[in-house]
Amino acid sequence: MVKQWLVKQRAKGQLLQAFKAGEIGIPHKTGEQRLFRYPKINDIRFNYERKTLTYVFTLPYGVDPKILKKKEYVFQQFFSKSIELKGEIKTFTLTVFVTQFPNEVKYDYAAMKLKGKLPIPVGLDTNGAFYFYDMVKNPHLLIAGETGSGKSTQARSIITTLIQHLPPEDLHLYLCDLKLGDFHIFRKVEHVKSFDTEAVGLKTTLLGLKKLMKKRGMLLLKHEVSHIDDVPGKQPYIILAIDEVALLKKEKECMEIVEEISSIGRALGVFLILSMQRPDAKLLDGKLKINLTVRMAFRSADGINSRIVIDKVGAEKLEQTGRMLLKIQSERELKEIQAPYLTIEGAKMILEGYKVQGEENLLEAKNEPLECEELERVDDWGELDE
């Protein structure tokens, strides 16, 4: 008991030193001497399983809570970069992670232990746990980051994971690689129904998806349900992934359909994964940006670009390749996460078992699948105009 008390007193003293160094408190004078009334430390908790030290403290009345974010560097200097500061107005928690945040996370599908209808792998969080979310609950994803930040690797990891998690009858992928990156590794995978490299071909795909969404919408009306999962039978989830979507800036008709998918796709089982190197404020206007409920910000050129993606600065300070700030609309706080690293060669080896065998491939009939396969499958449920 005495030993634990001494450890807590030492930890308390370290936090008080941080408050003093950062002048976090209310100044007052005693004669000629300028003193500070510092935050009150209410509790100190050790979690030996998670290897964390958590402080709970309250600010004195009159202290602007924003000062904690401005002086976060002080806590990092006293403890480490691996800290998490949470709270608002008066009561805050400061969690110090004893185990250092890894600079690289090896891709391991089995270790992810994914759950949910459409699980999206994100990476290792500051708690040392693998983080993922369900795209059905949090639809549409934006991945942004400058060259070499890990953006393309993350898109590769997500698509490869989804292919392993769901059979081709439950997941249809429509891919567009406008900068001719590495989406080509997915071309002959059975899940992939369309692969475009130019806006002209993508436009045909998008028009087909628009027609499909209209049919699915009519099904919801017919069966008086609010989600495609609730209609009789089972329809595949559809993901449209566009790499370097900023190149569509001048393609008004394409962007209108992309925005429409972002608005109504969730209920219809149609989802977006958009990626870009340099975020464009005009492209990500209010409507589209709000509907992208999950955003991954890898290293950005400056605070302005960071704010465009996640509404806050911070991504410009990320140094490690594969490190991101994750914003999920339903959660108040940003999460710092290290994405799993999957090489192109590693992805090719995984995908080999999911490719269509032989010369015949659905992609050879450019953009026809939507007309002949997807729409017929919807029609199999019966006439919609009965």
Side-chain angles (χ1 to χ4, degrees):
M1 291 292 289
V2 175
K3 185 178 180 180
Q4 188 177 25
W5 180 85
L6 288 172
V7 171
K8 284 194 173 186
Q9 289 304 305
R10 193 178 297 119
K12 181 178 180 181
Q14 192 172 11
L15 183 57
L16 282 173
Q17 288 299 316
F19 289 151
K20 290 177 181 178
E23 294 190 341
I24 300 170
I26 291 288
H28 62 92
K29 279 190 174 183
T30 301
E32 295 299 318
Q33 193 176 9
R34 186 170 182 261
L35 301 174
F36 272 82
R37 187 165 75 254
Y38 298 108
K40 179 182 177 182
I41 302 174
N42 304 312
D43 194 12
I44 299 173
R45 306 166 186 163
F46 297 97
N47 188 317
Y48 295 100
E49 185 178 344
R50 291 176 56 197
K51 296 182 180 180
T52 60
L53 167 63
T54 300
Y55 296 94
V56 181
F57 62 90
T58 53
L59 297 180
Y61 288 107
V63 174
D64 185 353
K66 293 179 182 177
I67 193 174
L68 293 175
K69 277 296 179 185
K70 291 178 182 177
K71 299 275 180 94
E72 189 172 1
Y73 67 89
V74 176
F75 300 118
Q76 291 176 334
Q77 289 172 347
F78 271 83
F79 299 101
S80 73
K81 284 190 174 182
S82 300
I83 63 170
E84 186 176 67
L85 186 62
K86 289 185 177 182
E88 56 181 28
I89 309 301
K90 190 166 178 63
T91 302
F92 291 81
T93 61
L94 172 68
T95 301
V96 181
F97 299 93
V98 179
T99 304
Q100 290 297 308
F101 206 13
N103 290 332
E104 184 175 302
V105 176
K106 186 179 179 181
Y107 181 89
D108 186 343
Y109 174 73
M112 295 177 185
K113 297 180 181 178
L114 302 175
K115 298 177 182 178
K117 294 181 177 180
L118 201 56
I120 302 296
V122 183
L124 209 66
D125 64 17
T126 50
N127 295 331
F130 194 88
Y131 187 87
F132 63 90
Y133 70 93
D134 193 341
M135 183 171 264
V136 174
K137 295 179 180 178
N138 296 283
H140 314 309
L141 167 64
L142 172 64
I143 308 172
E146 61 183 17
T147 302
S149 64
K151 168 186 66 70
S152 297
T153 304
Q154 181 69 345
R156 181 193 313 144
S157 170
I158 290 171
I159 295 173
T160 302
T161 300
L162 288 170
I163 288 169
Q164 294 173 86
H165 192 76
L166 291 172
E169 61 268 20
D170 292 342
L171 174 67
H172 290 180
L173 297 171
Y174 294 82
L175 307 181
C176 179
D177 192 352
L178 292 171
K179 66 180 182 68
L180 299 177
D182 51 65
F183 270 16
H184 63 85
I185 65 174
F186 302 110
R187 284 189 72 247
K188 292 188 177 182
V189 172
E190 192 173 355
H191 300 67
V192 179
K193 304 304 178 184
S194 179
F195 181 86
D196 297 300
T197 57
E198 297 179 354
V200 175
L202 177 62
K203 181 178 176 181
T204 304
T205 298
L206 288 170
L207 288 170
L209 282 172
K210 184 174 182 177
K211 186 175 181 181
L212 178 144
M213 288 195 300
K214 183 176 180 181
K215 294 235 175 197
R216 286 193 173 188
M218 293 170 69
L219 274 171
L220 297 187
L221 289 173
K222 177 182 178 179
H223 296 284
E224 298 181 345
V225 295
S226 59
H227 197 278
I228 200 68
D229 287 346
D230 299 324
V231 299
K234 187 174 184 180
Q235 280 291 290
Y237 291 126
I238 293 171
I239 291 180
L240 170 66
I242 305 176
D243 193 16
E244 205 49 57
V245 68
L247 295 177
L248 292 177
K249 185 176 180 180
K250 295 181 181 180
E251 304 294 333
K252 185 177 179 181
E253 190 170 2
C254 286
M255 286 309 302
E256 284 177 352
I257 299 176
V258 169
E259 287 184 6
E260 184 177 349
I261 293 173
S262 78
S263 296
I264 65 174
R266 177 181 184 177
L268 304 175
V270 183
F271 304 94
L272 296 170
I273 296 178
L274 308 179
S275 67
M276 60 176 66
Q277 286 185 11
R278 185 174 291 274
D280 189 305
K282 291 183 179 178
L283 184 77
L284 295 172
D285 65 8
K287 182 180 178 182
L288 178 58
K289 184 176 177 179
I290 289 172
N291 291 331
L292 296 169
T293 66
V294 181
R295 303 173 218 157
M296 299 178 183
F298 289 82
R299 185 176 60 249
S300 64
D302 50 44
I304 295 174
N305 284 339
S306 176
R307 195 178 291 278
I308 291 172
V309 179
I310 54 175
D311 303 319
K312 292 182 180 180
V313 297
E316 78 283 1
K317 298 177 183 177
L318 298 174
E319 299 175 358
Q320 182 61 40
T321 298
R323 191 68 54 85
M324 76 173 83
L325 292 178
L326 175 71
K327 179 181 177 66
I328 295 186
Q329 200 173 79
S330 59
E331 299 180 7
R332 182 173 297 170
E333 300 288 339
L334 296 176
K335 295 181 183 294
E336 186 173 351
I337 292 180
Q338 183 68 31
Y341 180 59
L342 176 63
T343 65
I344 292 180
E345 291 305 315
K348 284 181 177 179
M349 290 179 62
I350 294 170
L351 296 170
E352 197 59 41
Y354 298 90
K355 290 185 176 180
V356 175
Q357 301 300 315
E359 295 296 321
E360 186 178 351
N361 190 296
L362 189 60
L363 297 179
E364 299 300 324
K366 184 70 172 174
N367 293 315
E368 290 183 4
L370 279 171
E371 297 297 328
C372 65
E373 180 185 351
E374 296 275 16
L375 296 180
E376 284 180 5
R377 184 164 182 177
V378 174
D379 289 341
D380 283 345
W381 292 346
E383 295 299 326
L384 299 178
D385 54 358
E386 287 180 354

